[in-house]
Amino acid sequence: MKIPLLDLRAQFASIRQPVIDAVIDVLDSQVCINGPRVTELERAVAEYCGVPYAVGVSSGTDGLLAAFMSLEIGPGAEVITSPFTFFATAGCIQRVGARPVFADIDPRTFNLDPSGIRACISPHTRAVVPVHLFGQMADIDPIRLLAARHGLDVVEDAAQAIGATYEGHKAGSFGKVGVFSFFPSKNLGAAGDAGMAVTRDPALHQRLMLMRNHGMEPKYFHKFVGGNFRLDAIQAAVLLAKLPHLDAWSEARRRNAAYYTERFAGSAVTPPFIDPRCGTVVNQYVIRCPRRDELRRFLEDRGIGSEIYYPVPLHLQECFRYLGYKRGDFPEAERAADEVLALPVYPGMTPEMLEAVASTVLEFYD
Ligand SMILES: *Cc1c(COP(=O)(O)O)cnc(C)c1O
């Protein structure tokens, strides 16, 4: 049995016709950039997240970039974030001319540890960017309190966490702005690149709307320099057709995760820790395991896909050498990079597939 890390063909088959119809509608209308489907998706995502505003953007990366640009975070500013995340989080901080400042992670959740943030705050700090990694929200309350006390903006990198909750409230609704990715491997995936920024702030909403279109208002008059961060109407139509199924798909991921976690009890494998205040959407099921690279090869030889998210923490990336960090600066992020392994958890996995993955992992340690 071949089990890839991610295979969404069965999921697509279940919604094939409505997605095709929605795409053909867009093609027939020939409104291909922004337009009514994008507006409709923005309303739907804002409502889903319990916030008043959402702005469709071309990707999660562009959403983060547009957010930092809209908050006028630039040269001279410092932005605190996690070193254990996808590259875009820190890449966008650097691209606006600000300095990424890393704080270590909580070893249980892999998310930014609030207790490490305070020591990183300087007179230049402008914002904190918690990342809701693998579909579970960071410990947002203390982060929000600390940020408020120091006058910092919170930008939630919620790329992996649409639908995740903290004390019942949705990811993206806590910060000044929250950013989602609709990259196909995220829980709500487009047929290509797409993203969304959500906010409660009407002024920031206005600014984001202009920012994604070269700061233009009215046509050919530019208030400030923005970019082309627009969302394609075809992507919006695909996402609108999929959104009503998102919660059921995330529930399927949670069921698959619960099965693994039960099977791994008492084994050498450490299953993901679920913070009791958090509702996770399990974008990835990530275990900590001894002899990780050997386990990965063992699984691969038996047709089972897995992935290391992420093998090199950002403070040790070549492009961030100028920041002056060294190995040992963030021991938990470094240890996580050496020990984590993501297993297949996508909706549509059969009980036989789940059983095959779990028993192959356990077989390795026997
Ligand atoms: C996927 C992801 C992004 C970037 O989103 P794209 O849509 O791929 O540009 C940013 N941050 C995190 C944590 C992600 O997982």
Side-chain angles (χ1 to χ4, degrees):
M1 189 178 343
K2 265 202 118 39
I3 308 173
L5 180 71
L6 181 68
D7 179 357
L8 295 174
R9 283 174 299 181
Q11 182 188 87
F12 179 68
S14 73
I15 51 160
R16 190 171 183 278
Q17 203 54 51
V19 169
I20 288 172
D21 293 346
V23 169
I24 289 173
D25 276 351
V26 171
L27 292 174
D28 284 338
S29 79
Q30 280 301 299
V31 178
C32 294
I33 306 273
N34 291 334
R37 290 292 88 79
V38 170
T39 308
E40 205 182 320
L41 180 69
E42 288 169 344
R43 288 212 187 99
V45 170
E47 188 186 23
Y48 180 81
C49 296
V51 298
Y53 307 109
V55 179
V57 288
S58 33
S59 68
T61 303
D62 287 345
L64 288 167
L65 195 59
F68 295 137
M69 290 169 76
S70 297
L71 294 169
E72 295 182 273
I73 292 171
E78 295 177 359
V79 178
I80 299 168
T81 193
S82 167
F84 193 62
T85 172
F86 178 60
F87 177 74
T89 319
C92 291
I93 295 170
Q94 194 275 352
R95 284 172 69 192
V96 295
R99 187 181 182 87
V101 174
F102 298 114
D104 211 355
I105 56 167
D106 179 333
R108 295 171 314 161
T109 62
F110 305 113
N111 283 323
L112 200 52
D113 184 343
S115 69
I117 296 174
R118 186 192 304 270
C120 298
I121 297 175
S122 86
H124 306 290
T125 310
R126 279 286 321 276
V128 184
V129 185
V131 182
H132 307 319
L133 207 63
F134 306 144
Q136 175 164 250
M137 282 192 65
D139 192 0
I140 194 80
D141 249 0
I143 293 174
R144 210 164 44 153
L145 276 171
L146 192 64
R149 210 174 306 136
H150 291 85
L152 312 175
D153 288 325
V154 173
V155 176
E156 294 179 67
D157 183 340
Q160 301 181 7
I162 190 162
T165 58
Y166 183 96
E167 291 177 344
H169 299 284
K170 290 257 170 73
S173 69
F174 290 82
K176 181 86 170 171
V177 52
V179 176
F180 299 112
S181 165
F182 302 130
F183 184 78
S185 71
K186 308 295 163 84
N187 284 33
L188 180 62
D193 280 307
M196 186 78 68
V198 297
T199 182
R200 297 180 179 282
D201 182 327
L204 183 60
H205 170 238
Q206 278 310 313
R207 212 171 152 80
L208 284 164
M209 294 285 281
L210 300 193
M211 193 61 73
R212 73 168 168 195
N213 197 20
H214 293 296
M216 186 163 76
E217 170 86 335
K219 212 170 186 183
Y220 306 127
F221 288 75
H222 300 267
K223 291 199 184 338
F224 47 81
V225 178
N228 172 0
F229 307 134
R230 296 177 304 241
L231 177 59
D232 291 347
I234 284 182
Q235 299 303 345
V238 169
L239 292 162
L240 272 169
K242 287 182 158 190
L243 183 59
H245 305 281
L246 173 61
D247 284 344
W249 291 337
S250 293
E251 181 56 34
R253 287 172 179 273
R254 276 192 294 271
R255 273 200 307 275
N256 295 346
Y259 173 81
Y260 284 148
T261 293
E262 198 183 309
R263 289 292 308 271
F264 294 152
S267 77
V269 165
T270 308
F273 168 79
I274 312 291
D275 186 319
R277 295 164 299 179
C278 291
T280 173
V281 293
V282 195
N283 179 243
Q284 300 293 346
Y285 184 87
V286 176
I287 57 171
R288 242 186 227 278
C289 50
R291 292 156 58 212
R292 189 263 319 268
D293 296 336
E294 270 176 80
L295 170 62
R296 187 163 190 227
R297 240 170 293 130
F298 186 84
L299 292 172
E300 191 184 337
D301 291 345
R302 285 152 188 79
I304 296 171
S306 65
E307 190 54 87
I308 300 166
Y309 300 115
Y310 296 92
V312 182
L314 298 188
H315 67 288
L316 300 179
Q317 294 286 350
E318 188 178 342
C319 64
F320 289 136
R321 210 176 279 162
Y322 74 96
L323 294 172
Y325 291 112
K326 58 186 187 311
R327 188 167 289 280
D329 284 345
F330 304 108
E332 291 303 345
E334 291 165 25
R335 192 163 67 88
D338 291 337
E339 294 180 356
V340 292
L341 193 65
L343 301 176
V345 75
Y346 55 89
M349 286 182 77
T350 62
E352 293 71 31
M353 294 163 96
L354 291 164
E355 146 66 23
V357 174
S359 57
T360 308
V361 169
L362 294 172
E363 186 193 334
F364 173 76
Y365 290 105
D366 275 348

